[in-house]
Amino acid sequence: MRFLLFLGQRLALTVPTLLILSVLVFALQHLLPGDPALALAGEDMDPDVVAEIRHRYGFDLPIWHQYWNWLLAALQGDLGMSLRNSMSVVQLLLGKLGITLQLAVASMVLALVIGIPLGVLAAARPGSFASLAASGFALSGISVPHFWLGIMLVLAFSVNLNWFPSSGYTPFAEDPGRWAMGLVLPAFVLGTGIAGVLMRHTRSAMLQALGSDYIRTARAKGLREQRVVLKHALRNALVPVVTLGAIEFGQLLSGAVLTEQIFSIPGFGKLLVDGVLYRDYAVVQGLVLVSALLFIAASLVADILYFVINPRLRS
Amino acid sequence: MSAPLLDVRGLAVGFAGEDGLVPAVQGASFALGAGACLGIVGESGSGKSVAALSVMGLLPPATARITGGSVLLDGRDLLALTPEARRQLRGGEIAMIFQEPMTSLNPAFTIGDQIAEAIRAHAPMSAAAARERAIALLRQVRIASPEKRYDEYPHRLSGGMRQRVMIAIALAGNPRLLIADEPTTALDVTVQAQIVALLRDIQRERGTAILLISHNLGLIAGLADEIAVMYAGRVLEHGPAARILAHPEHPYTIGLLGAVPRAAPGEAPLVGIEGSVPDPRHPPPGCVFQPRCPFAEARCAEAAPPLRALAPGHHAACHLAPLEPVA
Amino acid sequence: MRILALLLMLCCGTAAMAQGTLRIGIGDDPDALDPTLNRAASGRQPLTAVCDKLFDVTTELKLEHQLVTAHEIAADGLSVTLKLREGVRFHDGESFDAEAVAFNLNRHLTMQGSLRRTELAALAGTEVVDAHTIRLLLKSPQAYLLLINLAERAGMMVSPKAARDAGERFALHPVCAGAFRFVERVPQGRIVVQRYDGYWNRANIHLDRVEYLPISDSTVRLAGLRSGELQIAERLSPTDLPQLRGDARVTAVATPDLGFHSIRFNMSNGPRQRIFGGDIRIRQAVELAIDRRAMVQALFEDQYTAGNQFVGPESAYYDKAHPVPARNVARARALLREAGQPNLTFTLLVPSERERQEAAQMVQAMLAEAGITMKLETQDNTSLLASSQRGQFDAVFSFWSGRPHPDGNSYSHFACAGPLNDSRYCNPELDALLTRGREATDEAERVRVYQQANALLVRNVPHVVVWHRRTFTGLSKRLAGFIPHPDSTIRLVGLRLN
């Protein structure tokens, strides 16, 4: 019951958060130097065309008026049109949501599969070679720049070995094999960074858990060490790790700008970069709001997970 | 005494420190008969808990080193067993409960789950059967409504109840030896008495031998058949409980008894023992207690007194024992 | 073991899929796929596949017929009669006829958001003579220029029925009369087109399917070519070329680009004109301090061409009497002293694009040797456009993509009323020349006029052209029949995949 109240509160806070965010983003975009009408007018820059564009898209209106128009439309489900390719923003976002989700999930799965076991290993055998190797891996995962790693992987695995496509996204319905292969390298780039973070948190949470009294009790029961570590310690260590993981996942949902750029994955990241560079206001506005919504959802899920995993919170 | 169930001989344990090994137990010997209760009493740093953990095999492997002695269970030296063999005895033949019941249970699992896990670790059975047995155990440790309690999480239970759960877990493998390390120290006085009564019943009804460790002489007095007094890693005196309590021979034991608060105030004043436990890396020459001993003589600093029999079953390590009774 | 087999099967499977399909890696995601609305140059690639034009240009930039079979310019130069190709159908089955042409030209002129108006500025109206003959009526005698402009997007013909039915949404699914029909588009993902069996020139089309894949990083584009996923990678940079030398699977072809890179001075656009707008000696000094050839060598592996006029040295319109000058630091210093500015300081506005960033730094170093302090100010493209137009610059590092007709490289930039004349350079003599050039129908006269225009610009130095690019296109060895074109547009006729 208390939890439902908490959930309700969080959901209620979402609306004003999004509203304030929309105002901020709108203002920020319009503070950027440059005249979007010029950018849209084509290379020849016909002055009549420029004036017409300015009027057609409302750039000659005061900012608050432009925002108001946008808000009214948004409340009716219309997020406007992309100035670049005349597609509806809602359509654009929906189309890319799936791709962004797929990349985010793939990266997260990879990160979990690599990061958590390494963290457990490093905590269970401190000072061992495995632990040192895991630390080294974590550090490099966090420090190596994505764009460098991405291009190196492309050169090694696509150009030289031909194992994976070098760029692009193929829908699952069209070719499941190619879809999967196309996600491996970018998911790896994104996943290793997060794996490093997860590994460090898992290790420290595990070390803390392993030092607890209930671990002594578990050993006193005569349980196998493997069970002590994987059932008793890990279960408790997962609590902070899972919440961290949910937050990281939320960040992935905003799109991975560099990785998408390198691998030409048409997700949110690329859309955002192009939108900002070309002053495609409606796209940036809609995208930021959707990303914020997704992030809020992810942190809500984190809270729910925390509640589920941690019996102490249930009254 | 017939062949003891547990026979610890000359146990020596140290911990790896910055400047070498720090000794925690130095040549401690004590024995416990089947179905009997041995109380090991001593202040913090006496090495009593370390000795108990050595019997259990729960010393931290990274830092602890057993440097000598033997721990015989039914004649078998546990220290000579493989870690796997020792693990199988843990929770089965030998069980242990600890001082901090508030943190000794895993908060993520129900208490029933944790008891059933202990049951199934030593006797293969179905989950349903283990549940039945766990509920029975809960009943045995005097927890009301055990069927309901089975599905509760530890944070819903009081300290006393958690300690009872710990005892239930310890009993799950039908141990012949139960080690209780300061089982009541963290509990209220009223709850203490209940736990003591429970332990007594367990000893009587199941015939489980109990190794009770405490700094609380009153607790020991209430349960123990035999008492061993440890100080600075050594056993200074041991013997039948009644005798030790009535006729302590070692000055340290005397001091401990003098320092025990009695029920009737206003009688003999509390007499503390001056000084503090010596640094284990730099023990005093000769008798380890002599710097604090009010009866110390010159020879006490020259040679460490061996454990000598003063009466059948009653040993003390003091040059001056037996003491003349003070009129 | 099984996993290895699965991997092998997957990668071989993907290779097999490519046989009927040509995959082209392009540098940017095109904007609206509507010939009237399409803005950026990247749109030309897929549009060329889907939409045939009235005219085309050859690799020598001469006019060529496509949907038109004959044309005749009237004596007074104010009208052009076009004979249209018969038997041509749009992808939706509608007929291509004079009414369709009239509809399209009207659409280009009047549709809201049309970006083709400048190119068709000379067109007054059309007159349908019969089903396959149409007369174009001009406002001023710029017939040849108009026809050249009809060899680009302004000459692309869409199906009038489809355009009317789709309205604003036509760009989402263009219907034209080209060799390929539009299939689908994933924004920033890919554009897919499929062979149109009713194409009038289908005998010369040997591909089933073409995919355009925007890949913004040229290194990754090249990687895609080398791994076999792409068969064409457009716009490789000169620094990518060494990678290709050792690779037997790929090759690169080069053509001179139609455009130019130049440093433009603020001549009379607002208060900041005072540095360069007054004294020609200062501008000359800057030019003399720059070593164009050294730049090309150092920055572009000697693959680009040093230049000093708005067309490249190999162009017919180039004034050979004014070749690319050699660097002369001593003379530059002397000029500055004479002009009373021995320690000239100014700021160069540069976009964040890599080639110009590196070049600007090199220029900075070269100018320093002449005692000139050049500061760099970097802005992103959109901001730079605005700053440039508002005159908020001393000098700006510009790039113009180039047009087949020399008017496209000069009028907008240097005529007094030219919309791209951010320098606000105004020279009536030049205006007269440029106007004559627009109207010249005779080639010899045209060449003469533009050479004179170039000479004038070289003498007056309102800008310093630095280099002309060459475009490099990476090709798979499996591809046959590829002819590189100076306008960088990939024409699919005659291409074959082995």
Side-chain angles (χ1 to χ4, degrees), chain B residues 231-292:
Chain B
Y231 178 79
R234 301 159 178 75
V235 173
L236 295 182
E237 182 167 8
H238 73 85
R243 194 161 158 89
I244 302 266
L245 290 169
H247 298 285
E249 289 294 346
H250 196 285
Y252 178 60
T253 318
I254 297 170
L256 276 183
L257 283 165
V260 173
R262 309 258 171 218
E267 275 193 22
L270 277 180
V271 181
I273 308 175
E274 284 194 11
S276 54
V277 181
D279 180 351
R281 289 170 293 181
H282 305 113
C287 171
V288 72
F289 185 62
Q290 53 86 0
R292 302 169 77 185

Side-chain angles (χ1 to χ4, degrees), chain A residues 19 61 85 103 110 112 158 167 198 232 237 254 264 274-275 284 300:
Chain A
L19 203 65
L61 294 171
N85 53 28
L103 184 59
L110 211 73
L112 289 169
S158 304
S167 66
L198 281 178
H232 287 265
S254 327
S264 280
D274 286 348
V284 175
L300 249 166

